[in-house]
């Protein structure tokens, strides 16, 4: 079985490009060109150079000794939190801004939820001197004021999405509407492995640098490039796609995708899409999404704004359906506890999203020599307010 | 022969279609809106299925959709309303909705309900031609449902020819590269685009939409197209005036 996108843009039954005719030329242009660009020597050199000298790659693969001791396994942390701007998101924005430049686009638009992808996009637009417009839900603009300020400082225009629930899915709708209205000069820089083909595949390829490095680093450190297990959190799923990518065909490597259960999978306040969703079309892609009995998209909930998305990328929908990946989840409280735990015993404050991936360590049984890699997708600076508010006195 | 085809056989110019969102402004306004539009001389009607995430629609239709949904509108209810009107409404009704609603409702059940209600034409903006061909064409044919495709100023000549081949209702000529919404006038650039399409001598009936808002824009579009669709401007009218004076809205256009 192949876990990679087929020639029609599908992963099994998932994927495709369910877009209005108005977007057809834009998406077709990208589909016709993205592989040519990604595989060109000039792109590869520029991308590698910026990843090395600007993003700070390769990021370390760190053997977390105390964490390993606590869980009775050999646990490595892939330190994407040490990337410039604080998360893996910039791997994708660096790659796509180069694609946009190759296509001759002058105006960059993006959606953002918590603001991490918005900041990563505004950063590369500043770097490349391109106009940047970020759509962000009105509700999120209020919740994430520091990131809004960062984007503005980087020269981006932040446009509030005032439709629907005024959060990430609506910001995505607004970005797509803007793209419809500006078909010639504008590039839509999507932040995750979602959207119409070829976005999920392109973003997965750009993030695949994560698992490429894990392989090399693990080989150097242990003599074997394959761990027993890779764990990553999934909202749309870009960090998981990057961490899984070069292991998709290594069937002996267990892939664990961790979703946000919010207040509990069945509480009505959750973002565990694989558990609560059904097959449908969201943001141009056939995937699994949370919806009501008449196909209206429902609003997810998680303490972590980065996992608060009603769908998952089509690759993940396929990994779930084919059982290639095991889907687990963690509640708000379990994530908070895991974040405090990692901070205490390893001196690393993880992003709330990443904390969900750490939380499932408590739900598994390990053998001592079992090698586990957790993708530490982001750092927790942006979540300090939440961490402080929930810190219990000892 | 479908009602729409019969209409197009009889009338080839100045075809007026009006779009409204089912369940807006009031949950049970479907009947009064359809009957008023028919009585005031509208040639065919687009019934919008309200959706939570209408990607191709501007703020006016988005707003009407969220009002309709909070009024409690859903696909079952719409079909019930339309079925009740089946005997009394003579002009063609076209359903316009997004694909996820149809997938969740069940493709076959959706088609069956369309048939029960006398619906022979659908517009699904996020169903691209390639997906239609591989997944829906045969099913729709089985239920005698025609799918309407859109073309835009960016659509290539080759693609327009293919769409023309595949169309058996009409081609929805999107007047500008934008989401739906009233804009006030038709630009020189749009006229050049209409002329370009007109000169292709397509076999399909051409109906312009997006940005057609009043008598002047309707007449302008009809110089080059077989007719035009008014959507957002009508929704705005309903917001301001309710459903009781629809005849005046249509009268002002056809006057």
């Amino acid at each position: 079985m192949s876990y990679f996108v087929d020639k029609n843009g599908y992963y099994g039954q998932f994927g495709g490009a369910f877009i209005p005719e108005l977007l057809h030329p834009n998406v077709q242009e990208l589909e016709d060109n993205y592989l040519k660009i990604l595989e060109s020597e000039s792109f590869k050199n520029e991308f590698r150079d910026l990843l090395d000298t600007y993003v700070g790659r390769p990021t370390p693969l760190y053997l977390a000794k105390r964490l390993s001791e606590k869980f009775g396994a050999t646990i490595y942390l892939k330190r994407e939190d040490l990337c410039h701007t604080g998360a893996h998101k910039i791997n994708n924005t660096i790659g796509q801004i180069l694609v946009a430049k190759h296509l001759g686009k002058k105006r960059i638009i993006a959606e953002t939820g918590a603001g991490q992808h918005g900041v990563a996009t505004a950063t590369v637009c500043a770097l490349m001197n391109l106009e940047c417009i970020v759509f962000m839900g009105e509700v999120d603009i209020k919740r994430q004021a520091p990131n809004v300020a960062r984007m503005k400082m980087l020269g981006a225009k932040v446009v509030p999405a005032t439709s629907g629930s005024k959060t990430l899915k609506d910001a995505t709708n607004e970005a797509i509407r803007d793209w419809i209205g500006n078909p010639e000069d504008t590039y839509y820089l999507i932040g995750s492995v979602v959207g119409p083909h070829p976005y999920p595949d392109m973003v997965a390829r750009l993030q695949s640098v994560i698992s490429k490095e894990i392989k090399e680093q693990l080989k150097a450190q242990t003599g074997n490039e394959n761990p027993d297990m890779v764990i990553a959190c999934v909202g749309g799923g870009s960090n998981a796609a990057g961490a899984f990518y070069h292991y998709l065909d290594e069937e002996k490597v267990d892939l664990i995708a961790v979703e946000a259960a919010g207040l509990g999978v069945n509480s009505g306040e959750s973002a565990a899409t694989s558990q609560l969703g059904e097959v449908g079309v969201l943001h141009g892609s056939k995937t699994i999404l949370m919806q009501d009995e008449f196909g209206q998209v429902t609003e997810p909930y998680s303490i972590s704004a980065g996992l608060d998305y009603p769908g998952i990328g089509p690759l993940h929908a396929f990994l779930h359906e084919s059982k290639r990946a095991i889907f687990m989840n963690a509640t708000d409280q379990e994530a908070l506890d895991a974040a405090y735990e990692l901070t205490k015993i390893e001196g690393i404050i993880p992003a709330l999203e990443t904390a969900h991936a750490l939380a499932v360590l408590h739900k598994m049984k390990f053998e001592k020599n079992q090698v586990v890699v957790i993708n530490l997708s982001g750092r927790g600076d942006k979540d300090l307010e939440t961490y402080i508010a929930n810190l219990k006195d000892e | 022969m479908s009602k729409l085809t019969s209409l197009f056989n009889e009338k080839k110019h100045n075809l007026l279609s009006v779009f409204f969102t089912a369940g807006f402004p009031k949950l049970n306004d479907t009947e009064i809106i359809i009957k008023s539009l028919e009585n005031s001389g509208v040639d065919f009607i687009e019934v919008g299925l309200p959706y939570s995430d209408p990607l191709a629609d501007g703020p006016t239709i988005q707003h009407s959709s969220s009002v309709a949904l909070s009024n409690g509108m859903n696909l079952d209810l719409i079909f019930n309303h339309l079925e009740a009107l089946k005997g009394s409404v003579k002009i063609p009704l076209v359903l316009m909705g997004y694909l996820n609603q149809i997938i969740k409702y069940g493709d076959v059940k959706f088609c069956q309900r369309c048939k029960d209600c006398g619906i022979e034409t659908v517009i699904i903006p996020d169903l691209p031609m390639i997906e239609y061909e591989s997944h829906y064409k045969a099913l729709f044919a089985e239920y005698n449902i025609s799918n309407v495709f859109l073309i835009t100023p960016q659509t290539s000549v080759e693609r327009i020819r293919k769409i023309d081949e595949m169309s058996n209702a009409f081609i929805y000529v999107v007047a500008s590269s934008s989401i739906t919404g009233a804009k006030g006038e038709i630009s020189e650039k749009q006229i050049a685009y209409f002329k370009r399409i007109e000169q292709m001598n397509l076999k399909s009936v051409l109906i312009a939409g997006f940005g057609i808002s009043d008598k002047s824009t309707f007449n302008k579009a009809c110089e080059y197209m077989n007719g035009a669709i008014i959507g957002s401007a009508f929704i705005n009218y309903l917001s301001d005036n309710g459903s009781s004076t629809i005849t005046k809205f249509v009268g002002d256009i056809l006057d």
Side-chain angles (χ1 to χ4, degrees), chain A residues 10 21 173 177 281 296-297, chain B residues 52-54 57 100 131 159:
Chain A
Y10 276 84
E21 184 63 29
N173 291 339
R177 288 180 184 123
V281 168
Q296 308 292 346
V297 183
Chain B
S52 57
D53 295 73
D57 287 305
N100 196 54
E131 298 293 341
R159 198 168 161 87

Side-chain angles (χ1 to χ4, degrees), chain A residues 10 17-18 20-22 24-25 163 169 173-174 177 180-181 183-184 278 280-281 291-297, chain B residues 50-55 57 62 69 74 76 99-100 103-104 125-126 128 131 150 152 154-155 159 174 177-179:
Chain A
Y10 276 84
F18 293 85
E21 184 63 29
L22 300 133
H24 179 80
S163 61
K169 88 173 166 72
N173 291 339
E174 288 308 324
R177 288 180 184 123
I180 288 174
E184 278 156 0
E278 288 169 281
V281 168
Q291 52 185 314
D292 73 7
E293 62 169 315
F294 290 103
Q296 308 292 346
V297 183
Chain B
Y51 185 51
S52 57
D53 295 73
L55 274 186
D57 287 305
Q62 285 172 45
L69 290 173
N74 65 49
D76 271 339
L99 184 59
N100 196 54
I103 294 175
K104 187 64 175 71
D126 58 345
E131 298 293 341
L150 281 66
T152 81
Q154 265 70 41
T155 310
R159 198 168 161 87
V174 175
S177 294
S178 71
I179 49 178

Side-chain angles (χ1 to χ4, degrees), chain A residues 270-289:
Chain A
S270 176
T273 304
S274 72
Q275 306 304 305
L276 300 167
E278 288 169 281
V279 176
V281 168
L282 179 68
H283 296 140
S285 171
K286 191 167 184 192
T287 185
I288 300 172
L289 65 134

Side-chain angles (χ1 to χ4, degrees), chain B residues 38-53:
Chain B
E38 177 172 37
N39 292 335
S40 40
V42 166
D43 294 299
F44 65 101
I45 298 173
E46 275 183 66
V47 182
L49 312 177
Y51 185 51
S52 57
D53 295 73

Side-chain angles (χ1 to χ4, degrees), chain B residues 219-230:
Chain B
N219 286 342
K220 198 79 200 163
C222 288
E223 285 178 31
Y224 310 96
M225 302 283 121
N226 301 97
I229 300 166
I230 296 182

Side-chain angles (χ1 to χ4, degrees), chain A residues 94-158:
Chain A
I94 291 272
Q96 283 199 58
I97 205 76
L98 294 175
V99 171
K101 279 189 73 178
H102 278 259
L103 292 172
K105 304 290 179 179
K106 304 276 181 249
R107 183 173 172 272
I108 307 298
I109 57 170
E111 82 296 338
T112 197
Q116 291 306 106
H117 173 60
V119 167
T121 305
T123 299
V124 297
C125 287
L127 181 68
M128 298 293 172
N129 191 26
L130 289 168
E131 184 186 358
C132 180
I133 296 124
V134 179
F135 293 89
M136 186 169 186
E138 202 172 45
V139 171
D140 290 333
I141 286 180
K142 286 187 190 129
R143 290 196 291 202
Q144 310 286 338
N147 271 344
V148 175
R150 282 168 85 189
M151 287 185 268
K152 287 183 179 163
M153 191 171 162
L154 289 159
K157 183 178 165 199
V158 179

